Each structure stands twice: as C-alpha cells, then as structure tokens.
Amino acid sequence: MRRGPVLVVLAGVAVWLLGTVRPAAQPDHPVTFIKVDELKRRLDAGEAATIIDVRSVAEWEELRIKGARSIPLRALPERTAEIPRRGLVVFY
C-alpha cells in the first residue's frame, strides 16, 4: 500500500491550516502568569485575591485551594460578571 501521496496531502493541509491561524486578540485586562510559590507569598503577605478554579465541579470538590471559587472553563463566558475587574484574580 502506498502512503506517500496521502502523507503529502495531509502535510499540505496541515501547513495550510497553520498558515491561517492568527494570534488571539489582546485581553481587555493585563495578564500576568505567576507560579504557585508567588501566589503563596502574596497571600501570606496578606494580599487579597480572588482565586477561580476553572476545572470541572467534580475536580473542584475533590481538591481545591482554600477559598477558591468554582467557575468551570466552559461556563466562563456566561459568568464573567462574577469576576472582579480590580485586584488580584488568579485562574487555575
């Protein structure tokens, strides 16, 4: 069985798809990535934070950061009003 032409076509489609990908739009608010130890340091220093767990509710119920709110990733578009516009907001 010859696979050469099929692989060439698949590779061509992949190149075409990747060529049409555009970068995501800039977020409305600044985004900074922090590591767990940075979050812990800031919380230990008394900084207020809203911590949002974007995993499924079952995963949130099983193990979560104390005080974290559950807003599953697929529910975020409908629940953006619940997310503060100021202060430290952490999604994990």
Side-chain angles (χ1 to χ4, degrees):
M1 177 184 247
R2 291 179 45 193
R3 294 186 182 180
V6 174
L7 291 177
V8 170
V9 170
L10 289 176
V13 170
V15 168
W16 175 77
L17 286 174
L18 290 174
T20 61
V21 174
R22 297 181 189 204
Q26 291 294 319
D28 294 335
H29 301 282
V31 175
T32 304
F33 294 91
I34 63 172
K35 294 185 178 189
V36 173
D37 56 341
E38 171 71 8
L39 175 60
K40 182 174 181 345
R41 184 189 63 74
R42 292 171 79 165
L43 293 174
D44 289 347
E47 185 172 348
T50 301
I51 302 172
I52 300 174
D53 189 329
V54 298
R55 300 173 302 154
S56 71
V57 173
E59 291 171 311
W60 176 76
E61 288 174 344
E62 185 178 321
L63 183 65
R64 64 181 172 266
I65 295 174
K66 184 178 178 181
R69 298 175 52 192
S70 175
I71 304 180
L73 195 55
R74 60 177 64 173
L76 274 175
E78 296 87 36
R79 297 180 61 186
T80 57
E82 299 175 38
I83 302 168
R85 300 287 185 242
R86 296 176 188 213
L88 178 61
V89 179
V90 178
F91 294 87
Y92 80 99

CSV table of all heavy atoms in Angstrom, one decimal, residues 8-53:
chain,number,residue,atom,x,y,z
A,8,VAL,N,1.7,13.4,1.8
A,8,VAL,CA,2.0,14.7,1.2
A,8,VAL,C,0.8,15.6,1.3
A,8,VAL,O,0.8,16.8,1.6
A,8,VAL,CB,2.5,14.6,-0.2
A,8,VAL,CG1,2.6,15.9,-0.9
A,8,VAL,CG2,3.9,13.9,-0.2
A,9,VAL,N,-0.4,15.0,1.0
A,9,VAL,CA,-1.7,15.8,1.1
A,9,VAL,C,-1.9,16.2,2.5
A,9,VAL,O,-2.3,17.4,2.8
A,9,VAL,CB,-2.8,15.0,0.5
A,9,VAL,CG1,-4.2,15.6,0.8
A,9,VAL,CG2,-2.7,14.7,-1.0
A,10,LEU,N,-1.8,15.3,3.4
A,10,LEU,CA,-2.0,15.7,4.9
A,10,LEU,C,-1.1,16.7,5.3
A,10,LEU,O,-1.4,17.7,6.0
A,10,LEU,CB,-1.9,14.4,5.7
A,10,LEU,CG,-3.0,13.4,5.6
A,10,LEU,CD1,-2.7,12.2,6.5
A,10,LEU,CD2,-4.4,14.0,6.0
A,11,ALA,N,0.2,16.6,4.9
A,11,ALA,CA,1.2,17.6,5.3
A,11,ALA,C,0.8,19.0,4.7
A,11,ALA,O,0.9,20.0,5.3
A,11,ALA,CB,2.6,17.2,4.9
A,12,GLY,N,0.3,19.0,3.4
A,12,GLY,CA,-0.1,20.2,2.8
A,12,GLY,C,-1.3,20.9,3.5
A,12,GLY,O,-1.3,22.1,3.7
A,13,VAL,N,-2.2,20.1,3.9
A,13,VAL,CA,-3.4,20.6,4.6
A,13,VAL,C,-2.9,21.2,6.0
A,13,VAL,O,-3.4,22.2,6.4
A,13,VAL,CB,-4.4,19.5,4.8
A,13,VAL,CG1,-5.5,19.9,5.8
A,13,VAL,CG2,-5.0,19.1,3.5
A,14,ALA,N,-2.0,20.5,6.7
A,14,ALA,CA,-1.5,21.0,8.0
A,14,ALA,C,-0.8,22.3,7.8
A,14,ALA,O,-1.1,23.2,8.6
A,14,ALA,CB,-0.6,19.9,8.6
A,15,VAL,N,0.0,22.4,6.8
A,15,VAL,CA,0.7,23.7,6.5
A,15,VAL,C,-0.3,24.8,6.2
A,15,VAL,O,-0.2,25.9,6.7
A,15,VAL,CB,1.7,23.6,5.4
A,15,VAL,CG1,2.2,24.9,4.9
A,15,VAL,CG2,2.9,22.7,5.8
A,16,TRP,N,-1.3,24.5,5.4
A,16,TRP,CA,-2.4,25.5,5.1
A,16,TRP,C,-3.1,25.9,6.3
A,16,TRP,O,-3.3,27.1,6.5
A,16,TRP,CB,-3.3,24.9,4.0
A,16,TRP,CG,-4.5,25.8,3.7
A,16,TRP,CD1,-4.4,26.9,3.0
A,16,TRP,CD2,-5.8,25.7,4.2
A,16,TRP,NE1,-5.7,27.5,3.0
A,16,TRP,CE2,-6.5,26.8,3.7
A,16,TRP,CE3,-6.4,24.8,5.1
A,16,TRP,CZ2,-7.9,27.0,4.0
A,16,TRP,CZ3,-7.8,25.0,5.4
A,16,TRP,CH2,-8.5,26.1,4.9
A,17,LEU,N,-3.5,25.0,7.2
A,17,LEU,CA,-4.2,25.3,8.4
A,17,LEU,C,-3.4,26.2,9.3
A,17,LEU,O,-3.9,27.1,9.9
A,17,LEU,CB,-4.7,24.0,9.1
A,17,LEU,CG,-5.8,23.3,8.5
A,17,LEU,CD1,-6.1,22.0,9.2
A,17,LEU,CD2,-7.1,24.1,8.5
A,18,LEU,N,-2.1,25.8,9.5
A,18,LEU,CA,-1.3,26.6,10.4
A,18,LEU,C,-1.0,28.0,9.8
A,18,LEU,O,-0.9,28.9,10.5
A,18,LEU,CB,0.1,25.8,10.6
A,18,LEU,CG,0.0,24.6,11.5
A,18,LEU,CD1,1.3,23.9,11.5
A,18,LEU,CD2,-0.5,24.9,12.8
A,19,GLY,N,-1.0,28.1,8.5
A,19,GLY,CA,-0.8,29.4,7.9
A,19,GLY,C,-2.0,30.3,8.0
A,19,GLY,O,-1.8,31.5,8.0
A,20,THR,N,-3.2,29.8,8.3
A,20,THR,CA,-4.3,30.6,8.5
A,20,THR,C,-4.6,31.0,10.0
A,20,THR,O,-5.5,31.7,10.3
A,20,THR,CB,-5.6,29.9,7.9
A,20,THR,OG1,-5.8,28.7,8.6
A,20,THR,CG2,-5.5,29.6,6.5
A,21,VAL,N,-3.8,30.4,10.9
A,21,VAL,CA,-4.0,30.7,12.3
A,21,VAL,C,-3.5,32.1,12.6
A,21,VAL,O,-2.5,32.5,12.2
A,21,VAL,CB,-3.2,29.6,13.2
A,21,VAL,CG1,-3.3,30.0,14.6
A,21,VAL,CG2,-3.8,28.3,12.9
A,22,ARG,N,-4.3,32.8,13.3
A,22,ARG,CA,-3.9,34.2,13.7
A,22,ARG,C,-3.8,34.2,15.2
A,22,ARG,O,-4.5,33.5,16.0
A,22,ARG,CB,-5.0,35.1,13.3
A,22,ARG,CG,-5.1,35.1,11.8
A,22,ARG,CD,-6.1,36.1,11.3
A,22,ARG,NE,-6.1,35.7,9.8
A,22,ARG,CZ,-6.5,36.5,8.9
A,22,ARG,NH1,-6.9,37.7,9.2
A,22,ARG,NH2,-6.5,36.1,7.7
A,23,PRO,N,-3.0,35.1,15.7
A,23,PRO,CA,-2.8,35.2,17.2
A,23,PRO,C,-4.1,35.7,17.8
A,23,PRO,O,-4.9,36.4,17.2
A,23,PRO,CB,-1.7,36.3,17.4
A,23,PRO,CG,-1.3,36.7,16.0
A,23,PRO,CD,-2.1,36.0,15.0
A,24,ALA,N,-4.3,35.3,19.0
A,24,ALA,CA,-5.5,35.7,19.8
A,24,ALA,C,-5.5,37.2,20.0
A,24,ALA,O,-4.4,37.8,20.0
A,24,ALA,CB,-5.6,35.0,21.1
A,25,ALA,N,-6.6,37.8,20.1
A,25,ALA,CA,-6.7,39.3,20.4
A,25,ALA,C,-6.1,39.6,21.8
A,25,ALA,O,-6.1,38.7,22.7
A,25,ALA,CB,-8.1,39.7,20.3
A,26,GLN,N,-5.6,40.8,21.9
A,26,GLN,CA,-5.1,41.2,23.2
A,26,GLN,C,-6.2,41.2,24.3
A,26,GLN,O,-7.3,41.6,24.0
A,26,GLN,CB,-4.5,42.6,23.2
A,26,GLN,CG,-3.2,42.6,22.3
A,26,GLN,CD,-2.1,41.9,23.0
A,26,GLN,OE1,-1.9,41.9,24.2
A,26,GLN,NE2,-1.4,41.1,22.2
A,27,PRO,N,-6.0,40.7,25.5
A,27,PRO,CA,-7.0,40.7,26.5
A,27,PRO,C,-7.4,42.1,26.9
A,27,PRO,O,-6.6,43.1,26.7
A,27,PRO,CB,-6.4,40.0,27.7
A,27,PRO,CG,-4.9,40.1,27.4
A,27,PRO,CD,-4.7,40.2,26.0
A,28,ASP,N,-8.6,42.2,27.4
A,28,ASP,CA,-9.1,43.5,27.9
A,28,ASP,C,-8.4,44.1,29.1
A,28,ASP,O,-8.3,45.2,29.3
A,28,ASP,CB,-10.6,43.5,28.2
A,28,ASP,CG,-11.5,43.2,27.0
A,28,ASP,OD1,-11.0,43.5,25.9
A,28,ASP,OD2,-12.6,42.7,27.1
A,29,HIS,N,-7.8,43.1,29.9
A,29,HIS,CA,-7.1,43.5,31.1
A,29,HIS,C,-5.7,42.9,31.0
A,29,HIS,O,-5.5,41.8,30.4
A,29,HIS,CB,-7.9,43.0,32.3
A,29,HIS,CG,-9.2,43.5,32.4
A,29,HIS,ND1,-9.5,44.8,32.9
A,29,HIS,CD2,-10.4,43.0,32.1
A,29,HIS,CE1,-10.8,45.0,32.8
A,29,HIS,NE2,-11.4,44.0,32.4
A,30,PRO,N,-4.7,43.5,31.7
A,30,PRO,CA,-3.4,42.9,31.6
A,30,PRO,C,-3.4,41.5,32.2
A,30,PRO,O,-4.1,41.2,33.2
A,30,PRO,CB,-2.6,43.8,32.5
A,30,PRO,CG,-3.4,45.0,32.9
A,30,PRO,CD,-4.8,44.7,32.5
A,31,VAL,N,-2.6,40.6,31.6
A,31,VAL,CA,-2.5,39.2,32.1
A,31,VAL,C,-1.0,39.0,32.5
A,31,VAL,O,-0.1,39.3,31.7
A,31,VAL,CB,-2.9,38.2,31.0
A,31,VAL,CG1,-2.7,36.8,31.4
A,31,VAL,CG2,-4.3,38.5,30.6
A,32,THR,N,-0.8,38.4,33.7
A,32,THR,CA,0.5,38.1,34.1
A,32,THR,C,0.4,36.7,34.7
A,32,THR,O,-0.5,36.3,35.4
A,32,THR,CB,0.9,39.0,35.3
A,32,THR,OG1,0.9,40.4,34.8
A,32,THR,CG2,2.3,38.7,35.8
A,33,PHE,N,1.3,35.8,34.3
A,33,PHE,CA,1.4,34.5,34.8
A,33,PHE,C,2.3,34.4,36.1
A,33,PHE,O,3.4,35.0,36.0
A,33,PHE,CB,1.9,33.5,33.7
A,33,PHE,CG,1.0,33.4,32.6
A,33,PHE,CD1,1.2,34.3,31.5
A,33,PHE,CD2,0.0,32.5,32.6
A,33,PHE,CE1,0.3,34.2,30.4
A,33,PHE,CE2,-0.9,32.4,31.5
A,33,PHE,CZ,-0.7,33.3,30.4
A,34,ILE,N,1.8,33.8,37.1
A,34,ILE,CA,2.6,33.7,38.4
A,34,ILE,C,2.6,32.2,38.7
A,34,ILE,O,1.7,31.4,38.4
A,34,ILE,CB,2.0,34.5,39.5
A,34,ILE,CG1,0.6,34.1,39.9
A,34,ILE,CG2,2.1,36.0,39.2
A,34,ILE,CD1,0.1,34.8,41.2
A,35,LYS,N,3.6,31.8,39.4
A,35,LYS,CA,3.8,30.5,39.9
A,35,LYS,C,3.1,30.3,41.3
A,35,LYS,O,2.8,31.3,41.9
A,35,LYS,CB,5.3,30.1,39.9
A,35,LYS,CG,5.9,30.1,38.6
A,35,LYS,CD,7.3,29.6,38.6
A,35,LYS,CE,7.8,29.5,37.2
A,35,LYS,NZ,9.1,28.9,37.1
A,36,VAL,N,2.9,29.1,41.7
A,36,VAL,CA,2.3,28.8,42.9
A,36,VAL,C,3.0,29.4,44.1
A,36,VAL,O,2.4,30.0,45.0
A,36,VAL,CB,2.2,27.2,43.2
A,36,VAL,CG1,1.7,26.9,44.5
A,36,VAL,CG2,1.3,26.6,42.1
A,37,ASP,N,4.3,29.4,44.1
A,37,ASP,CA,5.1,30.0,45.3
A,37,ASP,C,4.9,31.5,45.3
A,37,ASP,O,4.8,32.1,46.4
A,37,ASP,CB,6.5,29.6,45.2
A,37,ASP,CG,7.3,29.9,43.9
A,37,ASP,OD1,6.6,30.2,42.9
A,37,ASP,OD2,8.5,30.0,44.0
A,38,GLU,N,4.7,32.1,44.2
A,38,GLU,CA,4.5,33.6,44.1
A,38,GLU,C,3.1,33.9,44.7
A,38,GLU,O,2.9,34.8,45.5
A,38,GLU,CB,4.6,34.1,42.7
A,38,GLU,CG,4.1,35.5,42.6
A,38,GLU,CD,5.0,36.6,43.2
A,38,GLU,OE1,6.1,36.2,43.6
A,38,GLU,OE2,4.6,37.8,43.2
A,39,LEU,N,2.1,33.1,44.4
A,39,LEU,CA,0.7,33.3,44.9
A,39,LEU,C,0.8,33.0,46.4
A,39,LEU,O,0.2,33.8,47.2
A,39,LEU,CB,-0.2,32.3,44.2
A,39,LEU,CG,-1.7,32.3,44.8
A,39,LEU,CD1,-2.3,33.7,44.7
A,39,LEU,CD2,-2.5,31.2,44.1
A,40,LYS,N,1.4,32.0,46.9
A,40,LYS,CA,1.5,31.7,48.3
A,40,LYS,C,2.2,32.9,49.0
A,40,LYS,O,1.7,33.3,50.1
A,40,LYS,CB,2.2,30.4,48.6
A,40,LYS,CG,2.3,30.1,50.1
A,40,LYS,CD,2.9,28.8,50.3
A,40,LYS,CE,3.0,28.3,51.7
A,40,LYS,NZ,2.8,29.3,52.8
A,41,ARG,N,3.3,33.4,48.5
A,41,ARG,CA,4.0,34.5,49.1
A,41,ARG,C,3.0,35.7,49.3
A,41,ARG,O,3.0,36.3,50.3
A,41,ARG,CB,5.2,34.9,48.3
A,41,ARG,CG,6.0,36.0,49.0
A,41,ARG,CD,7.1,36.5,48.1
A,41,ARG,NE,6.7,37.1,46.8
A,41,ARG,CZ,6.1,38.3,46.8
A,41,ARG,NH1,5.9,39.0,47.9
A,41,ARG,NH2,5.7,38.8,45.6
A,42,ARG,N,2.3,36.0,48.2
A,42,ARG,CA,1.4,37.2,48.2
A,42,ARG,C,0.3,37.0,49.2
A,42,ARG,O,-0.1,37.9,49.9
A,42,ARG,CB,0.9,37.5,46.8
A,42,ARG,CG,2.1,37.9,45.9
A,42,ARG,CD,1.7,38.0,44.4
A,42,ARG,NE,0.9,39.2,44.2
A,42,ARG,CZ,0.7,39.7,43.0
A,42,ARG,NH1,1.2,39.1,41.9
A,42,ARG,NH2,0.0,40.8,42.8
A,43,LEU,N,-0.3,35.8,49.2
A,43,LEU,CA,-1.4,35.5,50.2
A,43,LEU,C,-0.9,35.6,51.6
A,43,LEU,O,-1.5,36.1,52.5
A,43,LEU,CB,-2.0,34.1,49.9
A,43,LEU,CG,-2.8,34.0,48.6
A,43,LEU,CD1,-3.3,32.6,48.3
A,43,LEU,CD2,-4.0,35.0,48.5
A,44,ASP,N,0.3,35.0,51.9
A,44,ASP,CA,0.9,35.0,53.2
A,44,ASP,C,1.2,36.4,53.6
A,44,ASP,O,1.2,36.7,54.8
A,44,ASP,CB,2.2,34.2,53.2
A,44,ASP,CG,1.9,32.7,53.2
A,44,ASP,OD1,0.8,32.3,53.3
A,44,ASP,OD2,2.9,31.9,52.9
A,45,ALA,N,1.5,37.3,52.7
A,45,ALA,CA,1.7,38.7,53.0
A,45,ALA,C,0.4,39.5,53.2
A,45,ALA,O,0.5,40.7,53.5
A,45,ALA,CB,2.5,39.4,51.9
A,46,GLY,N,-0.7,38.8,53.1
A,46,GLY,CA,-2.0,39.5,53.4
A,46,GLY,C,-2.7,40.1,52.2
A,46,GLY,O,-3.7,40.8,52.3
A,47,GLU,N,-2.1,39.9,51.0
A,47,GLU,CA,-2.8,40.5,49.8
A,47,GLU,C,-4.1,39.7,49.5
A,47,GLU,O,-4.1,38.5,49.5
A,47,GLU,CB,-1.8,40.3,48.6
A,47,GLU,CG,-2.4,41.0,47.3
A,47,GLU,CD,-1.3,41.1,46.2
A,47,GLU,OE1,-0.1,40.8,46.4
A,47,GLU,OE2,-1.8,41.4,45.1
A,48,ALA,N,-5.1,40.5,49.2
A,48,ALA,CA,-6.4,39.9,48.9
A,48,ALA,C,-6.3,39.3,47.5
A,48,ALA,O,-5.7,39.9,46.6
A,48,ALA,CB,-7.5,40.9,49.0
A,49,ALA,N,-7.0,38.2,47.2
A,49,ALA,CA,-7.0,37.6,45.9
A,49,ALA,C,-8.3,36.9,45.7
A,49,ALA,O,-8.9,36.3,46.6
A,49,ALA,CB,-5.8,36.7,45.7
A,50,THR,N,-8.8,37.0,44.5
A,50,THR,CA,-9.9,36.1,44.1
A,50,THR,C,-9.3,35.0,43.3
A,50,THR,O,-8.7,35.2,42.3
A,50,THR,CB,-10.9,36.9,43.2
A,50,THR,OG1,-11.4,38.0,43.9
A,50,THR,CG2,-12.1,36.1,42.7
A,51,ILE,N,-9.6,33.8,43.8
A,51,ILE,CA,-9.0,32.6,43.2
A,51,ILE,C,-10.1,31.8,42.5
A,51,ILE,O,-11.1,31.4,43.2
A,51,ILE,CB,-8.2,31.7,44.2
A,51,ILE,CG1,-7.1,32.6,44.9
A,51,ILE,CG2,-7.6,30.5,43.6
A,51,ILE,CD1,-6.4,31.9,46.0
A,52,ILE,N,-10.0,31.6,41.2
A,52,ILE,CA,-11.0,30.9,40.5
A,52,ILE,C,-10.5,29.6,39.9
A,52,ILE,O,-9.5,29.6,39.1
A,52,ILE,CB,-11.6,31.8,39.4
A,52,ILE,CG1,-12.2,33.1,40.0
A,52,ILE,CG2,-12.6,31.1,38.5
A,52,ILE,CD1,-12.6,34.1,39.0
A,53,ASP,N,-11.1,28.5,40.3
A,53,ASP,CA,-10.8,27.2,39.8
A,53,ASP,C,-11.6,26.9,38.5
A,53,ASP,O,-12.8,26.9,38.6
A,53,ASP,CB,-11.1,26.2,40.9
A,53,ASP,CG,-10.6,24.8,40.6
A,53,ASP,OD1,-10.5,24.4,39.4
A,53,ASP,OD2,-10.2,24.1,41.5
